[in-house]
């Protein structure tokens, strides 16, 4: 078996595998309905050298499934989870306020059956909460020993810079990681997010390296889309994206690689990427992932990828992408009618 490569997670000193195990598909309501099968997948991943498991409180019962599966193996895992996505209808059971963070972390610790979380991440930016409030609460969790390191997910580069500045100015713990989307189809983070993360010594754990299923080879132009997510996510059915996938299928064939191996190898080839998080639902999905751990893309292949999707660009917009208030709220991008003329 090929030995897994480990990389340092930013400047934390924590070593994580170049491939991480995403736990969204272990939630019984949306992924694998058999927790025992999910446990077997987790155990096989650990046996193969994957030591990073990433979940979230918003992933249904994923934390509970992961917690049970890690019994007796917790100390060998870099366990990451997240907070801030809505949990139910209560308006205060979401976001990055001190009030919610302090409650949510206890809930996650209980579900994960552990006394500490290695990496606690803000799932999405919370414009309604001052970042100093968030960092203050997270700093207290680090000082209490309940959390080892803190990070963000889908945070714009400008917010990353602001958070680093606030942490330094206020003497607070700083975000050590960022978890953005990144794949052959979505390379927008190469423009600002990855350079900002590298500048501040942050580790980067990228999600969606298989394009939420589009880069598995199962979706082809002119054929019925059989992906489980096809009925939930618009971007999985985007014709332009599927046309670009066809070009990558051809490139993978010429390179003598399965498309999944091309996609995963691309995701970890960038010097700013620490680990690529893939979320297998079945054992066969994991087996395919592990079969490609020794793939290294040549400069020629990377150049041809650049020709299909230029660096720093996205093919379409992900449904799960973070949309800042400046774009969401009409009042922030349109002056009142009486102020719209130059006269």
């Amino acid at each position: 078996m090929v030995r897994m490569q480990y990389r340092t997670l930013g400047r934390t000193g924590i070593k994580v595998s170049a491939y991480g195990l995403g736990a969204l598909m272990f939630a019984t309501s949306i992924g694998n309905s058999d927790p025992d099968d999910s446990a077997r997948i987790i155990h096989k991943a650990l046996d193969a050298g994957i030591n990073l498991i990433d979940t979230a409180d918003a992933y249904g019962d994923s934390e509970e499934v992961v917690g049970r599966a890690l019994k007796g193996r917790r100390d060998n895992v870099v366990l990451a989870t997240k907070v801030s996505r809505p949990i139910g209808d209560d308006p205060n059971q979401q976001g990055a306020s001190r009030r919610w963070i302090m409650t949510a972390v206890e809930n996650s610790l209980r579900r994960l059956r552990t006394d500490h979380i290695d990496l606690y991440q803000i799932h999405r930016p919370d414009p309604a909460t001052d970042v100093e409030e968030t960092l203050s609460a997270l700093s207290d969790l680090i000082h209490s020993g309940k959390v080892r390191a803190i990070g963000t997910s889908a945070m714009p580069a400008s917010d990353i810079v602001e958070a680093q500045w606030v942490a330094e100015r206020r003497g607070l713990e700083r975000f050590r990681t960022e978890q953005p989307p990144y794949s052959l189809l979505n390379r927008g983070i190469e423009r600002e997010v990855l350079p900002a993360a590298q500048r501040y010594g942050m580790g980067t754990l990228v999600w969606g390296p298989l394009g939420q299923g589009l880069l598995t080879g199962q979706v082809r132009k002119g054929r019925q889309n059989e992906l489980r997510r096809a009925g939930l996510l618009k971007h999985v059915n985007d014709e332009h994206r599927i046309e670009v996938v066809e070009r990558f299928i051809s490139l993978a064939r010429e390179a003598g690689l399965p498309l999944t191996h091309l996609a995963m190898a691309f995701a970890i080839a960038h010097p700013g990427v620490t680990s690529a998080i893939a979320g297998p639902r079945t054992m066969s999905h994991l087996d395919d992932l592990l079969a490609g751990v020794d793939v290294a893309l040549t400069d020629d292949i990377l150049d041809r990828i650049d020709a299909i999707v230029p660096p720093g660009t996205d093919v379409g917009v992900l449904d799960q992408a973070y949309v800042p208030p400046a774009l969401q709220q009409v009042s922030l991008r349109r002056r009142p009618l009486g102020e719209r003329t130059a006269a």
Side-chain angles (χ1 to χ4, degrees):
M1 180 178 292
V2 177
R3 181 178 174 80
M4 186 67 65
Q5 177 190 155
Y6 297 93
R7 299 171 172 181
T8 305
L9 187 59
R11 294 175 185 163
T12 65
I14 300 171
K15 305 292 185 180
V16 296
S17 47
Y19 285 0
L21 186 65
L24 172 62
M25 288 292 104
F26 299 147
T28 56
S29 60
I30 57 177
N32 193 323
S33 60
D34 183 357
D36 291 334
D37 190 42
S38 293
R40 287 188 287 271
I41 294 171
I42 291 171
H43 295 162
K44 184 167 186 177
L46 297 180
D47 292 341
I50 292 177
N51 74 337
L52 170 65
I53 298 180
D54 179 76
T55 184
D57 61 0
Y59 292 171
D61 61 351
S62 173
E63 286 185 325
E64 295 172 337
V65 172
V66 170
R68 288 193 296 270
L70 291 184
K71 184 177 180 180
R73 306 191 68 166
R74 171 66 183 92
D75 291 343
N76 303 117
V77 172
V78 178
L79 185 57
T81 192
K82 313 181 199 74
V83 61
S84 84
R85 296 298 289 270
I87 305 296
D89 297 326
D90 189 322
N92 284 313
Q93 292 186 348
Q94 60 183 290
S97 68
R98 170 178 286 272
R99 182 182 190 275
W100 176 233
I101 286 174
M102 291 305 189
T103 298
V105 73
E106 296 296 343
N107 293 337
S108 287
L109 288 168
R110 183 183 67 255
R111 288 189 291 260
L112 290 166
R113 303 186 181 193
T114 184
D115 62 357
H116 72 280
I117 294 166
D118 295 300
L119 176 61
Y120 199 42
Q121 303 155 103
I122 302 301
H123 207 157
R124 289 292 184 275
D126 177 14
T129 303
D130 191 322
V131 69
E132 182 178 346
E133 166 94 354
T134 301
L135 288 171
S136 175
L138 294 173
S139 295
D140 287 347
L141 291 180
I142 290 177
H143 300 158
S144 71
K146 293 180 180 181
V147 168
R148 299 293 192 255
I150 56 176
T152 57
S153 179
M155 181 171 275
S158 58
D159 288 6
I160 290 174
V161 174
E162 180 186 4
Q164 295 288 326
W165 182 88
V166 168
E168 180 178 353
R169 186 68 176 263
R170 302 302 185 193
L172 299 170
E173 298 290 340
R174 64 188 183 91
F175 290 127
R176 298 289 185 169
T177 65
E178 160 61 11
Q179 186 176 146
Y182 187 55
S183 72
L184 291 166
L185 299 172
N186 289 90
R187 303 181 59 177
I189 65 168
E190 293 174 341
R191 187 174 296 276
E192 292 186 352
V193 171
L194 282 177
Q198 289 175 281
R199 187 179 308 130
Y200 290 105
M202 299 171 68
T204 304
L205 312 171
V206 299
W207 59 266
L210 297 180
Q212 291 76 52
L214 280 180
L215 297 170
T216 61
Q218 299 178 48
V219 181
R220 302 298 301 272
K221 185 177 180 180
R223 299 183 189 177
Q224 181 69 30
N225 189 337
E226 301 293 343
L227 288 180
R228 293 167 64 91
R229 302 181 184 186
L232 302 174
L233 304 176
K234 294 179 181 178
H235 69 256
V236 175
N237 297 289
D238 183 274
E239 291 186 5
H240 179 48
R241 287 169 65 84
I242 294 174
E243 288 175 356
V244 176
V245 169
E246 288 291 334
R247 298 179 65 184
F248 282 127
I249 289 174
S250 297
L251 176 58
R253 186 181 301 117
E254 293 176 31
L257 296 171
L259 180 59
T260 50
H261 295 181
L262 178 77
M264 291 297 295
F266 167 79
I268 63 169
H270 193 289
V273 173
T274 309
S275 182
I277 299 172
R281 180 175 55 85
T282 68
M283 190 68 78
S284 62
H285 293 165
L286 175 64
D287 289 340
D288 177 60
L289 176 72
L290 295 175
V293 295
D294 61 342
V295 173
L297 302 182
T298 65
D299 287 343
D300 175 64
I301 294 297
L302 291 172
D303 288 342
R304 295 179 67 181
I305 289 172
D306 289 349
I308 296 174
V309 177
T313 63
D314 292 323
V315 182
V317 179
L318 297 175
D319 293 53
Q320 311 102 313
Y322 170 66
V323 181
L327 299 181
Q328 277 188 328
Q329 299 177 25
V330 173
S331 63
L332 295 180
R333 52 187 172 84
R334 294 180 186 172
R335 290 179 179 272
L337 183 59
E339 299 177 9
R340 294 178 191 171
T341 66

